Amino acid sequence: MSFFVLLFFHLLSPKFSLISTYFPVSEFKNLQVLLPLTRANFKCKSAEIRLSSFPRDPSLNSGERIETLTSLGLTLNQARAYLSLLQLGPVGAKELAESSKITRQDIYRVMLALEEKGIVEKLILTPTLYRALPVEQVTAKLLDSKVAQQKALQRKTRQLVADVQTNGSDKPNQNEVSEFIMVPGKEAIVQRLSEALSKTNMSLDVVTSRERFSPAILEFAKAYGKALERGVRIRIAAEKHLPQNGALEITRNLTKVKNFEVRFFSCTPEALISIFDAKEASVAISKTANLARASALWSNDSGFVALARNYFENMWNNATQLTE
């Protein structure tokens, strides 16, 4: 364990000012001066020794720990300064700047900000020293602040939504205008499908491939269940295969509900589609691409939806029911 001894020498002669310096102690043996005293001739009136123990962990300033503190609201320099201060113990600005790799002119601004946040303390000595508050106290304080900010943001978001809905209530329904929207990537596609399914009140018709069937069942199982509770009729026509990764069991449980049906066809589908309440349709641009790199064309255009419905009915009528 490493220790630091802080010696304060009060000089008898009035022309000498208070001098402080640091000495390292290794198991209280082999005392060596780190910073040489600038005045050699003096008489020591009193001396105060303070011991502080801090782990010299070279990984303490690692990127992961810095990332955690910045996620909690500190800037990069603030995180580096605080972690360095945890390692060094009470220390002056010069040594802290060198340890944290922050310029001398910036370290004072960084420490002032940390003081104002209640993360470090300034010791009124000569020279001035800084001390880090306990890490469990600091992280709890930062986390509480982050939670408060999140709650405030949620309130503002709800207010924004309410304001927009109120101001737009007298405007024409946007669904009355035909739209074609390109939806790129898995995350955006899943979000769009989830939102549409949550608003569906009558029917959902799907044509899918063997590669997409099981992932979709696993992804939307709960949403399918809620839709069935609302009385939505769900029909899925899929390329013939054996569902995997638990999807088969989920499918069998869902088919116990009268409104949920699955049929299989033997050919490779020409298009992968989803139709919601016969009013909106989504068509996958690439049916063979990995879903992470896939795109979909979304539209409420009546002609587009009609073509999707005709294609679905053709595939559905030529498919066979799910069997054991």
Side-chain angles (χ1 to χ4, degrees):
M1 182 176 292
S2 300
F3 293 86
F4 288 89
V5 179
L6 176 61
L7 301 180
F8 296 89
F9 296 95
H10 299 272
L11 306 184
L12 291 177
S13 174
K15 67 179 181 178
F16 291 120
S17 59
L18 181 66
I19 300 176
S20 66
T21 187
Y22 282 89
F23 297 84
V25 177
S26 176
E27 298 179 359
F28 301 101
K29 298 178 180 179
N30 302 323
L31 187 64
Q32 297 178 344
V33 178
L34 284 179
L35 300 176
L37 295 175
T38 57
R39 310 181 193 279
N41 300 318
F42 61 86
K43 294 181 180 180
C44 181
K45 183 172 70 174
S46 64
E48 177 185 359
I49 300 179
R50 297 181 183 178
L51 300 179
S52 299
S53 176
F54 291 89
R56 287 285 188 168
D57 181 1
S59 67
L60 192 59
N61 248 325
S62 68
E64 183 178 355
R65 291 179 172 89
I66 290 176
E67 182 180 355
T68 299
L69 289 175
T70 55
S71 298
L72 287 171
L74 296 187
T75 67
L76 176 60
N77 279 348
Q78 289 171 358
R80 288 164 56 187
Y82 175 70
L83 290 173
S84 293
L85 202 55
L86 282 176
Q87 287 183 295
L88 297 173
V91 71
K94 180 180 179 181
E95 187 175 351
L96 182 58
E98 293 174 353
S99 174
S100 59
K101 309 301 181 184
I102 301 174
T103 62
R104 187 73 178 274
Q105 55 267 37
D106 288 337
I107 195 66
Y108 293 103
R109 176 175 51 81
V110 171
M111 298 311 295
L112 177 60
L114 291 178
E115 285 181 66
E116 293 175 346
K117 289 177 179 290
I119 293 175
V120 303
E121 295 176 333
K122 181 165 66 175
L123 307 181
I124 308 302
L125 301 170
T126 304
T128 298
L129 302 180
Y130 296 97
R131 176 171 60 198
L133 293 180
V135 66
E136 62 274 13
Q137 176 182 336
V138 167
T139 52
K141 180 183 181 70
L142 292 174
L143 189 58
D144 287 344
S145 176
K146 203 73 174 179
V147 171
Q149 292 176 9
Q150 182 69 17
K151 290 181 178 178
L153 182 58
Q154 289 175 346
R155 288 195 298 270
K156 292 180 180 179
T157 301
R158 289 193 293 267
Q159 186 60 51
L160 172 62
V161 172
D163 291 344
V164 171
Q165 290 177 341
T166 300
N167 293 334
S169 60
D170 57 346
K171 294 182 179 180
N173 189 345
Q174 292 183 353
N175 290 333
E176 294 179 359
V177 179
S178 294
E179 294 180 333
F180 289 87
I181 302 171
M182 186 64 67
V183 185
K186 176 182 177 179
E187 184 176 348
I189 292 174
V190 170
Q191 180 179 344
R192 187 88 183 192
L193 292 173
S194 298
E195 291 175 354
L197 183 54
S198 67
K199 299 175 183 177
T200 301
N201 295 314
M202 296 175 59
S203 64
L204 168 64
D205 297 324
V206 177
V207 175
T208 189
S209 65
R210 64 172 64 196
E211 293 84 6
R212 301 281 181 85
F213 181 84
S214 292
I217 289 293
L218 295 173
E219 180 73 40
F220 298 109
K222 291 183 179 179
Y224 287 157
K226 291 181 180 180
L228 291 171
E229 290 176 359
R230 298 195 304 271
V232 176
R233 182 188 183 191
I234 299 176
R235 297 185 295 172
I236 301 177
E239 184 179 1
K240 190 174 183 179
H241 72 291
L242 180 64
Q244 298 177 351
N245 300 325
L248 179 59
E249 182 179 356
I250 294 174
T251 301
R252 285 172 174 164
N253 288 333
L254 288 172
T255 53
K256 293 178 182 178
V257 181
K258 181 180 179 180
N259 282 351
F260 189 92
E261 298 179 76
V262 176
R263 293 185 183 181
F264 291 102
F265 48 80
S266 57
C267 62
T268 300
E270 294 296 327
L272 309 182
I273 64 171
S274 299
I275 308 169
F276 301 89
D277 282 342
K279 295 179 180 179
E280 293 181 297
S282 171
V283 178
I285 299 303
S286 176
K287 61 179 182 294
T288 58
N290 185 294
L291 188 57
R293 302 191 302 271
S295 297
L297 180 62
W298 194 284
S299 181
N300 60 353
D301 179 78
S302 59
F304 182 83
V305 174
L307 290 174
R309 291 181 63 189
N310 289 337
Y311 174 72
F312 169 80
E313 293 297 340
N314 180 61
M315 299 300 292
W316 181 257
N317 292 331
N318 289 283
T320 58
Q321 291 183 344
L322 173 67
T323 60
E324 296 294 327

